[in-house]
Amino acid sequence: MDTAVRELSYAQAIQEAMALAMEADDRVFLMGEDIGVYGGAFQVTGDLVERFGTDRVMDTPISELGGAGVAVGAAVTGMRPIFEFQFSDFATLGMEQIVNQAAKMRFMLGGEVSVPVVMRFPAGSGTGAAAQHSQSLEAWLGHVPGLKVIQPATPHDAKGMLLAAVADPDPVMIFEHKLLYKMKGPVPEGHYTVPIGKAEIRREGRDLTIVATSIMVHKALEAAEALAGEGMDIEVIDLRSIRPIDRDTVIGSVKKTSKLLCVYEAVKTLGIGAEVSAMIAESEAFDYLDAPIVRLGGAETPIPYNPDLEKATVPQVPDIVAAARDLVKGVR
Amino acid sequence: MATARKAISPEQTNLPFAYRQYSPDQLRDVLRKMYLIRRFEEGAEDSYMRGLIHGTMHLSIGQEASAMGICMPLHEDDQITSTHRGHGHCIAKGADVKRMFAEFFGKTTGYCKGRGGSMHIADVAKGNLGANGIVAGGIPIAVGAALSSKRMKTGKVVISFFGDGANNEGAFHEALNMASIWKLPVIFVCENNGYGMSTSTARSTAVKNIADRAAAYSMPGVIVDGNNFSEVAEASQAAVERARAGEGPTLIESKTYRYRGHSKSDRNRYRTKEEIEDWITNRDPILLFETELKEFGIIDEKGIEAVRESVKQEIADGIEFAKQSPAPELSDLGRYVYTEVA
């Protein structure tokens, strides 16, 4: 077994996972806009077309609805497509096929088919791309039974969860924060999987639980580190998967710390923070709470173009530090 | 060794396609299946009226020749995607009416174990990937199935059935374009019955013939009389041959008519009684086919009566099977959402 670990970027880790999946299984192929010679809008597919050819690294026309549908049809009939939406915002154009077809086909047909399609969504703000290229729409898809929805936060998980997604018999939607693509981290060589539906405790602590998703995991860890200097011991959970959601890890942590802060980039209202909060309120962990649950999420506005406004739209490290400090000190 | 074509006598060359292509037994079976579709629809409608079927349904009475003509040249492992008006397609592709009725009755013996109903009727074993409740929803899926066929070299041809309403959806445009640029073995079959719910094609569609849109995708566009079995089968055969030869897709517009309303809520206020009567009296696909079969000496009135009787029995047996079948357990509500891990 090859256990060598190198530093790879998040984008390189995804690319390596896709290459491994294609090497191992002829049925696996990639579809998307400009993923061939261009290498993908974020260079995630890079030079894969040179290795695997245009039949397996297929450029599609700018047809998100049709493209998603072709991926669904190919999956139902024996292939293992990995479909890249150029920006997660364009999921809105493919929503029919994702929500009405991919998610429901197995159910509607009484289990007679499965839909092993993987869809990748470059998501999130911070690139100056304004309101139609910066959204975080994962909760939309997380609301749909039949889909699995994941948000890997590290290069290690990006590779392992993609390989788990390709092996999964059901449709898996992967939201990748664009600002993570260049982040480097340790990534083992060879094939390994990170299970879908299992959260990871990134930092252990006793005073407060922060449940974060995607890029917010790193911001939460930075905030926790800063607060450690003030003597506060903060636990940070990387949720990793929003459907299915890892109840046990979150509930267990809140029972230990008695305080919960949810941090996510998507618009705060009706989002993953609401789900995690309700999960705790409905569980035995409710009796352990020493303070109201606090959510930090995106502002109730589209993502603006101006860089200062853009930053102010989503939680930043000082926001997390302030909210966490208040919670631990009992100010809230 | 090349196979010699069957010698055709001079009088045979003037016969319509179906009578040159298919044996008398095959043709009698086509008639039987057209009756089976019609009586199935009538049986479903009757069961609905009696409260045995809930929800709604979209009946294809009047469109039987279209379903049969398109499916006749297909192999058993060829695939189709179907529409909300999909009962006929399902039967034409080889489904058992017992399991179809069972599905409509919401029973576990149904094709979808009672989870899909009329609008999602499917028969995956026979290549029917399912009817679809979303207009044009099945078109890109058919293109994906054709992509699988090409990549995995299975030789399968895929038929995408859809109605005139679907040709104004974006999915139609995106899917036909991709099928054409990738030369996929898929055939787009637009069953134009004149109305998308209540809105006529004249009011909804800028071109006179939907087949004219094929030019925009560099594929052949063929118009057929959808109530003439032989004409539909001939167009389908040519398109299937083209698809199997790797030459790419075809768009067939099958002009037909539905006798019943769009669904069970339809008050039929957008068309006249005279129009409906005219189609029923003068252009009924079963009547036309029967007349031809008699003319060519393939069946007589007694034979037709025997077909009707055997179909009647099969429908009665199917409804009885559905009635007697078990309903799903409420505790199984969460099944089939995800693949169960063994």
Side-chain angles (χ1 to χ4, degrees):
Chain A
M1 189 178 153
D2 201 345
T3 51
V5 175
R6 311 107 329 134
E7 291 271 312
L8 287 185
S9 75
Y10 188 99
Q12 286 169 330
I14 295 168
Q15 186 182 122
E16 187 168 277
M18 293 193 294
L20 282 169
M22 283 196 283
E23 274 166 9
D25 187 344
D26 285 343
R27 300 171 303 170
V28 178
F29 71 104
L30 315 182
M31 287 177 71
E33 292 160 9
D34 307 294
I35 65 167
V37 286
Y38 194 96
F42 300 96
Q43 290 300 316
V44 176
T45 43
D47 294 332
L48 287 180
V49 70
E50 285 171 25
R51 263 175 78 190
F52 294 97
T54 51
D55 277 0
R56 299 188 73 192
V57 183
M58 283 178 77
D59 277 326
T60 68
I62 301 174
S63 299
E64 288 84 4
L65 171 61
V70 170
V72 171
V76 167
T77 50
M79 301 286 282
R80 294 263 172 175
I82 302 175
F83 185 79
E84 176 181 299
F85 279 86
Q86 196 161 74
F87 285 81
S88 70
D89 311 70
F90 306 164
T92 54
L93 292 154
M95 217 57 171
E96 196 284 294
Q97 284 292 331
I98 300 169
V99 174
N100 293 321
Q101 313 295 343
K104 296 175 175 56
M105 210 161 162
R106 178 176 177 78
F107 184 81
M108 293 190 300
L109 270 55
E112 291 295 314
V113 296
S114 60
V115 191
V117 65
V118 176
M119 295 190 181
R120 297 182 35 248
F121 301 90
S125 68
T127 62
Q132 297 172 335
H133 291 73
S134 304
Q135 296 169 87
S136 298
L137 301 177
E138 60 276 359
W140 287 25
L141 299 188
H143 194 65
V144 183
L147 301 179
K148 295 181 179 179
V149 183
I150 60 176
Q151 292 182 278
T154 65
H156 173 277
D157 286 359
K159 178 177 169 183
M161 294 187 94
L162 179 59
L163 286 168
V166 172
D168 199 288
D170 297 316
V172 181
M173 311 287 115
I174 310 181
F175 283 79
E176 304 160 356
H177 201 292
K178 286 164 288 193
L179 294 185
L180 293 176
Y181 280 138
K182 289 189 173 148
M183 167 182 277
K184 290 203 162 186
V187 177
E189 281 182 357
H191 186 278
Y192 66 93
T193 57
V194 172
I196 292 168
K198 189 85 192 75
E200 174 82 356
I201 299 174
R202 294 282 174 205
R203 179 192 173 102
E204 296 207 26
R206 306 205 62 83
D207 296 335
L208 165 71
T209 298
I210 298 181
V211 174
T213 56
S214 190
I215 195 169
M216 290 299 156
V217 172
H218 303 283
K219 293 187 179 180
L221 285 168
E222 215 180 311
E225 192 59 39
L227 289 168
E230 298 179 25
M232 295 178 206
D233 188 17
I234 292 170
E235 182 144 304
V236 176
I237 295 177
D238 174 359
L239 202 54
R240 297 203 291 201
S241 170
I242 67 169
R243 178 179 280 273
I245 199 162
D246 182 352
R247 294 167 49 85
D248 292 349
T249 298
V250 177
I251 290 170
S253 174
V254 173
K255 280 166 75 176
K256 180 176 71 172
T257 65
S258 302
K259 288 172 179 174
L260 173 63
L261 172 64
C262 302
V263 188
Y264 50 108
E265 176 167 325
V267 171
K268 180 176 162 183
T269 308
L270 295 164
I272 188 65
E275 184 55 40
V276 172
S277 304
M279 197 171 85
I280 292 303
E282 288 175 339
S283 78
E284 72 270 21
F286 178 73
D287 287 333
Y288 291 76
L289 284 177
D290 284 342
I293 296 166
V294 175
R295 290 177 292 160
L296 282 181
E300 306 295 320
T301 152
I303 303 290
Y305 166 66
N306 173 284
D308 293 330
L309 289 179
E310 184 182 20
K311 263 192 152 174
T313 310
V314 301
Q316 303 296 341
V317 176
D319 304 318
I320 304 171
V321 167
R325 186 192 287 126
D326 284 356
L327 264 172
V328 173
K329 287 191 169 173
V331 176
R332 294 242 181 192
Chain B
M1 198 177 89
T3 331
R5 276 187 82 91
K6 246 188 334 188
I8 296 171
S9 62
E11 61 271 22
Q12 275 181 310
T13 55
N14 290 326
L15 288 175
F17 167 83
Y19 304 91
R20 286 178 272 130
Q21 185 76 7
Y22 305 120
S23 70
D25 275 347
Q26 284 177 304
L27 291 168
R28 284 188 287 265
D29 190 56
V30 169
L31 178 69
R32 187 179 189 284
K33 275 202 162 168
M34 281 167 68
Y35 265 115
L36 193 62
I37 294 171
R38 179 155 305 181
R39 298 290 181 256
F40 177 87
E41 299 290 45
E42 290 167 353
E45 189 173 42
D46 183 62
S47 301
Y48 177 86
M49 296 302 184
R50 292 169 191 267
L52 294 165
I53 296 176
H54 80 151
T56 190
M57 62 179 69
H58 308 84
L59 301 172
S60 68
I61 296 176
Q63 303 185 186
E64 296 88 349
S66 185
M68 277 310 298
I70 292 296
C71 289
M72 197 58 189
L74 299 182
H75 299 160
E76 184 161 314
D77 68 346
D78 287 332
Q79 292 166 320
I80 68 167
T81 64
S82 172
T83 72
H84 58 287
R85 203 172 307 288
H87 311 161
H89 308 146
C90 198
I91 293 171
K93 194 66 180 68
D96 180 347
V97 294
K98 276 195 173 82
R99 294 194 62 197
M100 288 179 70
F101 276 122
E103 184 58 34
F104 290 18
F105 280 54
K107 303 297 183 70
T108 54
T109 52
Y111 275 111
C112 310
K113 304 186 182 72
R115 269 65 170 185
S118 154
M119 217 157 6
H120 306 298
I121 193 73
D123 179 6
V124 179
K126 288 280 168 66
N128 181 357
L129 299 174
N132 211 303
I134 305 297
V135 171
I139 308 180
I141 294 174
V143 175
L147 179 66
S148 284
S149 166
K150 185 168 179 170
R151 289 282 182 273
M152 300 196 292
K153 299 183 170 56
T154 58
K156 290 179 191 177
V157 165
V158 186
I159 301 284
S160 173
F161 284 107
F162 52 93
D164 45 284
N167 101 103
N168 292 319
E169 289 277 12
F172 168 88
H173 168 65
E174 295 186 18
L176 268 71
N177 182 57
M178 280 186 279
S180 185
I181 57 175
W182 297 329
K183 284 203 182 314
L184 297 180
V186 55
I187 298 157
F188 301 101
V189 178
C190 179
E191 293 184 314
N192 180 353
N193 61 23
Y195 299 89
M197 209 155 159
S198 71
T199 309
S200 68
T201 49
R203 289 169 60 214
S204 68
T205 304
V207 286
K208 189 156 180 290
N209 299 303
I210 290 163
D212 294 347
R213 292 199 161 157
Y217 311 106
S218 280
M219 68 175 78
V222 184
I223 299 170
V224 293
D225 175 354
N227 286 17
N228 182 319
F229 166 76
S230 181
E231 227 184 89
V232 180
E234 185 167 20
S236 181
Q237 175 73 33
V240 166
E241 280 172 15
R242 179 180 146 81
R244 282 207 214 284
E247 291 164 23
T250 301
L251 171 61
I252 297 174
E253 178 181 4
S254 173
K255 288 186 191 282
T256 182
Y257 198 78
R258 62 167 153 81
Y259 295 175
R260 297 295 195 270
H262 162 72
S263 68
K264 303 312 295 179
S265 66
D266 191 332
R267 294 180 297 163
N268 254 327
R269 296 176 107 181
Y270 49 88
R271 50 185 195 175
T272 62
K273 279 202 175 69
E274 291 72 28
E275 178 184 296
I276 301 170
E277 269 314 307
D278 179 52
W279 279 86
I280 292 175
T281 314
N282 301 315
R283 302 181 64 178
D284 182 76
I286 296 181
L287 212 60
L288 289 173
F289 189 51
E290 243 174 39
T291 308
E292 274 182 358
L293 288 177
K294 282 194 281 191
E295 217 170 281
F296 296 130
I298 292 165
I299 201 165
D300 57 17
E301 199 49 56
K302 217 175 127 197
I304 291 170
E305 198 42 54
V307 165
R308 289 189 192 129
E309 270 309 307
S310 97
V311 165
K312 193 176 160 190
Q313 192 56 49
E314 187 172 345
I315 295 298
D317 291 349
I319 291 174
E320 194 52 31
F321 172 80
K323 278 185 188 165
Q324 302 302 330
S325 289
E329 297 291 335
L330 293 182
S331 57
D332 282 341
L333 174 64
R335 289 191 73 181
Y336 315 121
V337 179
Y338 296 100
T339 303
E340 285 85 5
V341 184

